[in-house]
Amino acid sequence: MTSQILREARKYEEASEKLIKKEERPAFHLSTRTGWMNDPNGFSYYNGKYHMFYQYNPYETKWGPMHWGHAVSSDLLHWEYLPAVLAPDEDYDGDGGCFSGSALTLPDGRQLLMYTGVRREHQTNTIVRDIQTQCLAVGDGVDYEKYEANPVLDETDLPEGSSRFDFRDPKMWQNTNGTYNCVVGNCRTDGDGQVLLFHSEDGFHWEFQKILVSNNHRFGRMWECPDFFQLDGKWVLLTSPQDMLPQGFEYHNGNGTLCLIGEYNEKTGDFTEQKNQSVDYGIDFYAPQTMLAPDGRRIMIGWMQNWDATNLSAPEERLWFGQMSLPRELSIKNGRLYQRPVRELDELRRNKVVHKNVTFSGITRLDGINGRRIDMELTLRAEDKEKLYQKFAVRFAQNDTYHTAISFRPLESILKVDRKFSGTRRAIVHQRRSLVDSSDGELKLRIILDRFSVEIFVNDGEQVMSATLYTDPKIDGISFFADGNVTMDVVKYDLVTEED
Ligand code: FRU
């Protein structure tokens, strides 16, 4: 039975989606059907399609009472919207809404969703706090029914010293023996993040197993949106810490994305950390979620936004706010998390333009190199290894007034993305620097542009930098700059979707 609140949301989204033209949205990145989108939720493969749900407020381009929006795709790049599946319509989720969560397929073929229900509790006359619990819904890929015994995890399931106000974002998976586990983001009552591990025999009855990882005041405070999976013989914990302090070029201020790589004992639930790194070194990336594709690939999608800029970055007249990153295939190489755009993107490539061994200094433009929906690979080398160039830059989304730049200083091994001339009128973060692996002035960049974003894959996916852009999508110039002699290869394709 769909509630009145969900029926209204479904009616509203269907009508207001029509007010947004295709060319006013990203072409191959999933954006909200209407209103507001944040975290990816329930990313899964179900009944022959990829499913993506998302944190959704259909009524405004601002965060608000959380629904779950829904879209499906066969290639992770062309998405079709389906009706919203969850709305804040029960005692346990009616105030704050249905926060982030995950999906899996039950043995009987139904899809199980687990999400965080948020309700308000009056502590005193003036103090109201959110109480967060984990809840279930079961469905067929279109309609979902909330479980009658919700919530299935609440404060009584928490280990001592854990906060019941910050207890959210369950990510479930099925173990090889058919039982289930989930990780949930939490913090101690002193605000320090931790990830909790829960166990279930049937997906419906859950019990606390152990604290999987404790922050110990290393990376920000509360840890949101954990994900935990096996990859190339290791186990990977992804989580998104709030309130980070910067650490060198690895972690930046604010909301970050953390990757811990280690060993996991499935019997005891012990996780031994070995390495840590950022997931994305750009400006806009948060709360990623992964899924295991039928062909065995581990694919990750993040929310391509920065919480601290949300109410400032979008033009007021726009009827949508929020888009996802490109889906990225994950692997581990040399102890690091590598990310590559999903190979399905290759199918969108058209109009190949190649320039090999272009040696230049100063400003240059190249025949056929422009565009705003493109896949461009740059391979850089110093013309003279004894005398490295000082700086290389590529500028795109460029005309006489606007441009966004990616620049590289080989002597410092620093790569920078800078969108301050992208048309923004707000004093939000516009630049970010990352330390990259380079010697002798060599560097490989794969730059993917969609109408409202840039994603830079460095050295075949060793690092990624993502940023949203607000430059008019018709502005499509590209130029190159070098201080000193740079030799580069350029391979560029247009990325063409069915709407073209
Ligand atoms: C992360 C987050 C989650 C929460 C959701 C609410 O971006 O804060 O922790 O479930 O957004 O929309």
Side-chain angles (χ1 to χ4, degrees):
M1 262 290 289
T2 35
S3 67
Q4 177 70 12
I5 298 176
L6 183 58
R7 281 202 300 277
E8 270 168 23
R10 286 178 163 192
K11 219 163 104 188
Y12 183 88
E13 63 180 357
E14 203 185 326
S16 60
E17 178 198 347
K18 299 199 176 93
L19 305 175
I20 308 170
K21 296 197 192 81
K22 279 233 152 95
E23 60 275 16
E24 292 169 356
R25 301 178 168 277
F28 49 90
H29 289 79
L30 176 63
S31 55
T32 184
R33 186 170 183 183
T34 181
W36 162 279
M37 159 194 278
N38 60 296
D39 315 354
N41 294 159
F43 186 23
S44 52
Y45 191 82
Y46 179 67
N47 280 352
K49 289 247 159 106
Y50 292 100
H51 287 247
M52 181 57 95
F53 305 86
Y54 54 90
Q55 289 287 283
Y56 182 37
N57 177 13
Y59 301 109
E60 275 186 298
T61 52
K62 289 196 190 96
W63 192 88
M66 277 294 115
H67 298 60
W68 274 34
H70 190 192
V72 290
S73 175
S74 303
D75 67 354
L76 295 156
L77 300 165
H78 294 85
W79 291 94
E80 179 198 337
Y81 294 113
L82 290 183
V85 295
L86 300 177
D89 52 15
E90 294 287 346
D91 290 347
Y92 49 83
D93 62 22
D95 304 322
C98 306
F99 278 20
S100 286
S102 53
L104 53 79
T105 306
L106 291 166
D108 64 9
R110 294 177 302 162
Q111 195 178 37
L112 181 70
L113 308 180
M114 191 190 241
Y115 69 96
T116 301
V118 181
R119 70 179 167 84
R120 301 240 150 88
E121 192 179 85
H122 286 263
Q123 316 264 288
T124 63
N125 275 347
T126 48
I127 302 179
V128 185
R129 295 291 304 259
D130 280 356
I131 306 295
Q132 306 189 330
T133 59
Q134 314 319 317
C135 306
L136 300 175
V138 180
D140 61 2
V142 178
D143 294 308
Y144 293 78
E145 189 128 3
K146 291 180 183 171
Y147 182 46
E148 68 272 6
N150 277 343
V152 293
L153 287 172
D154 65 15
E155 60 193 82
T156 61
D157 299 291
L158 290 172
E160 218 184 300
S162 304
S163 164
R164 65 198 181 104
F165 308 120
D166 291 293
F167 175 39
R168 57 182 176 270
D169 313 333
K171 174 73 199 285
M172 305 180 281
W173 70 93
Q174 188 170 30
N175 297 306
T176 32
N177 67 4
T179 63
Y180 304 94
N181 274 105
C182 75
V183 281
V184 186
N186 181 231
C187 59
R188 299 163 42 84
T189 42
D190 68 1
D192 193 35
Q194 58 188 9
V195 172
L196 307 180
L197 181 68
F198 295 88
H199 181 79
S200 172
E201 292 292 314
D202 61 0
F204 291 89
H205 302 87
W206 290 87
E207 60 188 40
F208 174 70
Q209 193 173 341
K210 71 187 315 168
I211 298 175
L212 186 71
V213 189
S214 299
N215 184 16
N216 294 325
H217 305 281
R218 293 172 298 164
F219 307 105
R221 293 194 172 131
M222 166 65 189
W223 283 9
E224 300 188 307
C225 301
D227 195 347
F228 191 52
F229 51 87
Q230 200 169 13
L231 186 68
D232 296 334
K234 294 281 177 193
W235 279 78
V236 176
L237 182 99
L238 303 180
T239 186
S240 296
Q242 296 181 307
D243 308 311
M244 296 271 278
L245 288 172
Q247 292 179 33
F249 288 101
E250 191 62 31
Y251 299 103
H252 58 73
N253 316 56
N255 288 44
T257 48
L258 170 68
C259 169
L260 300 177
I261 300 174
E263 306 284 346
Y264 175 62
N265 182 329
E266 278 187 73
K267 285 209 184 79
T268 59
D270 288 332
F271 178 61
T272 316
E273 283 178 48
Q274 291 167 331
K275 297 237 158 105
N276 68 73
Q277 65 170 94
S278 266
V279 179
D280 194 287
Y281 296 79
I283 302 170
D284 295 295
F285 190 84
Y286 196 62
Q289 194 171 80
T290 70
M291 58 90 61
L292 195 61
D295 58 10
R297 289 178 294 167
R298 177 62 60 175
I299 300 175
M300 176 183 77
I301 291 186
W303 179 44
M304 200 157 40
Q305 255 308 322
N306 177 331
W307 266 118
D308 286 337
T310 46
N311 292 328
L312 294 169
S313 41
E316 254 172 45
E317 64 282 3
R318 191 172 290 166
L319 297 175
W320 63 271
F321 183 87
Q323 57 178 317
M324 297 300 174
S325 73
L326 267 183
R328 303 169 183 180
E329 293 175 19
L330 302 184
S331 58
I332 293 189
K333 250 201 253 171
N334 313 321
R336 278 190 64 86
L337 183 74
Y338 270 66
Q339 305 169 48
R340 304 166 32 92
V342 281
R343 57 198 70 167
E344 285 83 346
L345 193 71
D346 298 355
E347 302 294 315
L348 307 189
R349 288 171 158 186
R350 302 280 185 283
N351 312 327
K352 183 175 186 180
V353 181
V354 182
H355 293 270
K356 285 251 179 224
N357 284 314
V358 181
T359 299
F360 74 106
S361 68
I363 293 174
T364 192
R365 290 191 163 75
L366 296 173
D367 279 351
I369 303 293
N370 62 348
R372 272 298 283 282
R373 279 170 288 150
I374 60 164
D375 184 343
M376 180 164 69
E377 290 170 345
L378 305 179
T379 311
L380 309 177
R381 352 179 233 287
E383 197 207 13
D384 176 358
K385 283 189 185 160
E386 305 303 313
K387 193 170 170 291
L388 288 190
Y389 56 96
Q390 294 287 320
K391 182 179 169 182
F392 164 86
V394 50
R395 293 179 174 167
F396 51 90
Q398 183 182 28
N399 66 6
D400 291 344
T401 313
Y402 302 114
H403 69 263
T404 293
I406 299 165
S407 58
F408 175 54
R409 290 182 179 275
L411 298 167
E412 295 147 39
S413 290
I414 296 285
L415 187 71
K416 178 170 109 176
V417 57
D418 184 345
R419 64 172 180 195
K420 71 174 170 294
F421 297 108
S422 66
T424 166
R425 292 174 192 274
R426 300 263 61 95
I428 56 174
V429 170
H430 291 310
Q431 301 179 359
R432 193 141 275 151
R433 290 180 173 80
S434 177
L435 198 58
V436 294
D437 187 14
S438 147
S439 60
D440 296 338
E442 288 181 18
L443 194 71
K444 261 177 100 174
L445 301 174
R446 182 169 172 197
I447 301 166
I448 313 285
L449 300 185
D450 196 349
R451 291 194 181 98
F452 303 102
S453 62
V454 55
E455 286 157 283
I456 307 151
F457 294 81
V458 186
N459 291 336
D460 298 311
E462 190 175 29
Q463 281 169 304
V464 189
M465 300 177 88
S466 308
T468 53
L469 291 183
Y470 298 92
T471 324
D472 182 336
K474 290 196 279 302
I475 298 174
D476 68 351
I478 295 179
S479 66
F480 301 92
F481 167 84
D483 178 358
N485 283 335
V486 171
T487 302
M488 69 176 177
D489 301 331
V490 183
V491 181
K492 190 217 87 172
Y493 302 85
D494 294 324
L495 292 173
V496 177
T497 49
E498 266 152 30
E499 69 175 78
D500 293 278

